[in-house]
Amino acid sequence: HASICGSFPQEPQRYTEEHAVWDVARRDTVTGDIFPLCDCREPKYFNDSPDECELNKFDHMLALLHAEVPGLRQVVVVDQEFKVFSRIWCVAELVEGFFSEID
């Protein structure tokens, strides 16, 4: 939760290609609405605080779920541009699923 409610990256200069990419990334691809951000006071931890960070534990969580949840299945959805494979946490989950022999 803490990683997704913080903020968007700093806005690039308007009317540039970088701004166009930034603007698309902060919007829902179906509605075009800007993703809402919560105003909670939860501390945000990223990779510079690896023990507290929520973003570097996806593969560990999948291994735990596999051990604790009988019949756990892994569903993989891939976008047309295969961008999912550029997200390291997605690849880590796939690798963990493979080595854990999750169906």
Side-chain angles (χ1 to χ4, degrees), residues 21-41:
V21 170
W22 173 85
D23 189 49
V24 167
R26 68 188 184 123
R27 295 179 181 275
D28 183 298
T29 58
V30 175
T31 66
D33 294 340
I34 296 174
F35 290 115
L37 299 174
C38 78
D39 58 359
C40 78
R41 302 274 184 233

Side-chain angles (χ1 to χ4, degrees), residues 55-96:
L55 302 174
N56 61 359
K57 296 174 179 60
F58 290 96
D59 50 338
H60 299 289
M61 183 56 70
L62 188 59
L64 174 67
L65 287 171
H66 178 61
E68 299 288 326
V69 179
L72 177 73
R73 300 285 190 258
Q74 184 178 32
V75 176
V76 179
V77 178
V78 178
D79 56 289
Q80 290 180 337
E81 292 83 26
F82 298 98
K83 289 181 182 177
V84 68
F85 298 112
S86 69
R87 298 182 177 117
I88 193 64
W89 61 91
C90 296
V91 175
E93 285 184 14
L94 292 172
V95 170
E96 183 60 43

